[in-house]
Amino acid sequence: MLTPPGMGGQYRITGDKYPRMRRTHKRRRVVLALIASVAVLGLVGWGTVQLIGVFSGGDKARAVGAAKKCTPAPSASPTTARTLLEPKQITVNVLNATTRSGLAKDTADELKKRGFRIGEVGNATKEYDKKVAGTGVVLGAKDAANAALPVLGTQLTGAELKTDSRGKPAEVDLIIGDEFKKLAEKRDADKALTTLAAAEPKPSRTPGNC
């Protein structure tokens, strides 16, 4: 039994072993090992999830696919859709804006043979008289822009299509210009009319793919 000098009283140190402080580096190693293990497990789990997403397509891909399947089918725009008239439904006023006589009557007779109805035949109004430099002008109501005007336009190559404020969409003026020689050949006019009718937009018959 050892009693350090100067210590008296009831407290004494006995035994041959002294208390020692534990080293902390071992505890640090354990903590770092645990953190590394957790990180490795996290990376493994994340990689597994990514692989599953790649091979299965993922919920997002399925959602996008479902959205694509339910896209409504497009339909013809009402602003571009045509309602073409047949020649027999169109009344044509043949007006001569040149200084050459007889053009209006001869042209009207030919249009009548091609199935058009003939209205007024004579000289052009002051607005157009001697003021049409090209082959001619096809003039009608705004509602005739996609109906009667293009149909009559097939009969005269190079004709300018214009609209005014009249309220008769089936009545159209053919104003003969200075460069006019004759109407387009009937064979060519019929071919152009067939092409025009084939290009007419059709509304979609399918409501969509949903």
Side-chain angles (χ1 to χ4, degrees), residues 75-153:
S75 58
S77 172
T79 58
T80 59
R82 290 176 173 173
T83 306
L84 299 177
L85 299 180
E86 297 180 11
K88 64 181 180 181
Q89 297 175 298
I90 302 173
T91 299
V92 183
N93 300 318
V94 185
L95 307 175
N96 186 4
T98 74
T99 57
R100 292 174 289 168
S101 61
L103 290 180
K105 184 180 183 304
D106 293 344
T107 303
D109 290 343
E110 181 60 28
L111 287 173
K112 186 176 181 179
K113 292 178 182 179
R114 298 184 183 188
F116 291 90
R117 300 172 62 183
I118 303 302
E120 179 184 351
V121 178
N123 294 325
T125 61
K126 184 178 180 180
E127 181 181 359
Y128 290 97
D129 191 25
K130 301 179 182 64
K131 297 177 182 178
V132 180
T135 58
V137 174
V138 177
L139 180 65
K142 293 181 179 180
D143 290 341
N146 289 319
L149 289 184
V151 174
L152 182 58

Side-chain angles (χ1 to χ4, degrees), residues 1 13 30 35 38-39 58 87 90 106 121 158 164 167 172 175 180 195:
M1 178 183 305
I13 298 176
V30 173
I35 293 175
V38 172
I90 302 173
D106 293 344
V121 178
D164 58 16
V172 182
I175 306 173
F180 176 86
T195 301

Side-chain angles (χ1 to χ4, degrees), residues 43-56:
L43 289 174
V44 172
W46 180 82
T48 303
V49 171
Q50 294 301 313
L51 288 175
I52 293 174
V54 168
F55 288 105
S56 65

